[in-house]
Amino acid sequence: MIRFLTAGESHGPSLTAILEGMPAGLPLSSADIDADLARRQQGYGSGGRMKIERDHARITAGVMAGKTTGGPIAFVVENLDHAKWHDRDISPMTIPRPGHADLTGAVKYGYRELRLALERASARETTMRVAVGAACRKLLREFGVVVGGYVVRIGDVALTGDVAHMPSNTDYLARFQAAEMSDVRCYDPHAAEHMREAIRQIMQAKDTLGGVIECVALNVPPGLGSHVHWDRRLSARIAAAVMSIHAVKGVEIGDGFAETLRPGTQVQDQLVLEDGVIRPISNHAGGLEGGITNGAPIVVRAALKPIATTLNPLRSVDLAAGAPALTQYERSDFCQVPRAVPIVEAMVCIVLADALLEKLGGDSIDEMRPRFEALRRLRLDDLPMDNTAWRFGYE
Ligand code: EPS
């Protein structure tokens, strides 16, 4: 339902995105988009580029008189740094940085200069993911869905939560708000202090540090996604979308890998009936069972590796000289994890908006609204069981 493309190089004149499939009648302005773009620019451990850019999305199609028309929406963000690159003579880059797309991009496209790979592979592209995600976030908000996130690990400094405690929506909203006040986007001030120190030390050591981000979607109705095909499972769609973010090397849903440490009876979310509504007593599944939303908060974690560009050089090969060489430094972040929180949120918003549109259909917000109200929930009344025997057979 929702499709998008981005175009643009890190130091080219501008970045572009086209978002297709948004229903008509959604109020949308560049201020909605810019708020998330600004969040993507902030975070301790950023490199010098963020001091240069003031990312602003110009909406050049698909929104008229303040509302979406149903046509493709186009966003343009200028690269202010382009002024310094325009018509500049470039000394050839021939030493690939391990972990970046320099070498693989050259193998794939036959580049005779590695900067061509760098320019498009740069995480600068995530600006447009965030722009598209902000529009999808606006759609989700119309239906009460809230998506937020925070950092739960930087290097070996982890936020240790109480696993037995199931956070309420209020707890999650408080976490989102507190994380936004922190320059490492961690809601716990004590852990944030240690994370900050770990980033400070890594900058001093001329190295880089990765971490883990947790993203949570609240008030998602049950019944989005499907168990019937691999590519309709919402868990798989979320994982693929988050995995597509630069430097993400792992994605977990709910307790993820930790579920393998416990027996089944301690992993499944047991059900109780309260006032005619079926409720799980825990949320180890992270809001998804059988690839379908179950109405509980969707909890997604993304593991980001440390950025590949390091001030301390790494061993590589000069492809022009055909000899061993050390990497040369390109301006970069030291720890991108705090800045990447809105990027993970954006990809989750895009997938959830897509799944909501798939479930509801409709070309306008007005068409979607009554269909949303009529969705089956976890009320016993919504789930009438025939309670009659039937013969298992096909003809
Ligand atoms: C980024 C812009 C880039 C990098 C960074 C993210 O700008 P520049 O190369 O001019 O400094 O700072 O990209 C990477 C760290 C990377 O490895 O691709 C941005 O806008 O987020």
Side-chain angles (χ1 to χ4, degrees):
M1 313 300 291
I2 293 275
R3 290 182 290 156
F4 75 98
L5 285 174
T6 71
E9 278 74 48
S10 182
H11 306 100
S14 56
L15 302 162
T16 309
I18 296 182
L19 167 58
E20 153 66 23
M22 287 293 270
L26 176 72
L28 190 67
S29 70
S30 53
D32 296 321
I33 311 297
D34 289 355
D36 271 347
L37 293 183
R39 293 177 64 223
R40 199 198 73 95
Q41 288 204 254
Q42 291 151 20
Y44 186 58
S46 308
R49 179 74 182 269
M50 290 304 106
K51 294 192 180 77
I52 299 166
E53 302 297 339
R54 295 282 170 275
D55 291 340
H56 159 64
R58 206 151 55 86
I59 301 177
T60 57
V63 181
M64 299 182 85
K67 286 190 175 176
T68 55
T69 63
I73 303 173
F75 303 102
V76 180
V77 174
E78 305 292 331
N79 282 323
L80 300 182
D81 200 39
H82 176 66
K84 280 202 251 105
W85 288 77
H86 182 65
D87 282 344
R88 180 163 139 187
D89 291 325
I90 299 292
S91 47
M93 181 180 171
T94 56
I95 307 169
R97 294 163 299 165
H100 224 300
D102 303 347
L103 181 61
T104 50
V107 170
K108 167 84 178 160
Y109 291 100
Y111 295 141
R112 306 179 74 83
E113 210 281 331
L114 301 178
R115 190 166 296 280
L116 295 179
L118 174 159
E119 283 292 334
R120 180 60 187 161
S122 167
R124 179 83 189 130
E125 187 263 350
T126 59
T127 311
M128 303 323 285
R129 315 263 197 117
V130 171
V132 168
C136 291
R137 185 195 295 278
K138 195 82 198 284
L139 174 67
L140 293 170
R141 284 308 296 260
E142 288 287 321
F143 298 94
V145 177
V146 178
V147 177
Y150 38 82
V151 172
V152 294
R153 175 189 283 279
I154 296 283
D156 63 2
V157 183
L159 180 63
T160 44
D162 173 6
V163 264
H165 171 68
M166 181 167 66
S168 65
N169 275 12
T170 316
D171 293 334
Y172 277 125
L173 291 169
R175 287 181 183 185
F176 301 160
Q177 211 176 13
E180 287 308 299
M181 309 303 287
S182 151
D183 62 358
V184 291
R185 281 215 168 81
C186 174
Y187 61 82
D188 179 87
H190 183 71
E193 199 48 51
H194 287 285
M195 290 176 180
R196 185 170 224 287
E197 179 55 21
I199 297 173
R200 194 189 65 76
Q201 283 181 15
I202 214 69
M203 294 198 289
Q204 223 166 32
K206 300 182 174 174
D207 212 326
T208 58
L209 210 51
V212 178
I213 289 169
E214 184 164 288
C215 175
V216 182
L218 305 173
N219 307 324
V220 180
L224 305 191
S226 174
H227 62 272
V228 305
H229 277 297
W230 68 275
D231 57 352
R232 292 183 60 192
R233 287 181 174 258
L234 198 59
S235 38
R237 287 156 64 182
I238 290 173
V242 173
M243 194 66 142
S244 77
I245 299 169
H246 307 62
V248 171
K249 294 298 246 184
V251 182
E252 283 186 326
I253 293 189
D255 287 355
F257 281 60
E259 289 199 342
T260 61
L261 301 171
R262 301 196 300 270
T265 50
Q266 290 174 37
V267 161
Q268 317 312 329
D269 300 312
Q270 303 187 46
L271 302 172
V272 294
L273 183 63
E274 272 174 19
D275 302 325
V277 178
I278 298 112
R279 291 195 196 287
I281 58 169
S282 51
N283 186 22
H284 301 306
L288 285 148
E289 289 176 290
I292 304 173
T293 56
N294 64 7
I298 294 182
V299 182
V300 185
R301 265 185 301 282
L304 282 82
K305 69 169 183 175
I307 276 186
T309 311
T310 52
L311 263 171
N312 268 334
L314 296 172
R315 281 175 59 187
S316 185
V317 174
D318 186 332
L319 302 179
L326 294 175
T327 53
Q328 286 168 357
Y329 188 62
E330 294 285 328
R331 181 181 57 196
S332 191
D333 297 54
F334 294 92
C335 180
Q336 82 284 39
V337 182
R339 288 185 53 210
V341 171
I343 308 170
V344 176
E345 289 172 18
M347 293 313 292
V348 170
C349 283
I350 293 166
V351 175
L352 291 181
D354 185 43
L356 186 70
L357 278 161
E358 179 183 83
K359 179 73 182 166
L360 300 180
D363 294 308
S364 67
I365 297 285
D366 288 348
E367 272 180 2
M368 292 173 76
R369 229 180 274 287
R371 297 179 189 183
F372 182 79
E373 297 309 325
L375 281 179
R376 242 189 315 277
R377 303 282 168 164
L378 294 177
R379 294 171 292 236
L380 214 50
D381 288 348
D382 287 344
L383 301 158
M385 298 289 128
D386 281 353
N387 215 17
T388 51
W390 58 288
R391 177 160 300 159
F392 191 94
Y394 291 89
E395 290 200 9

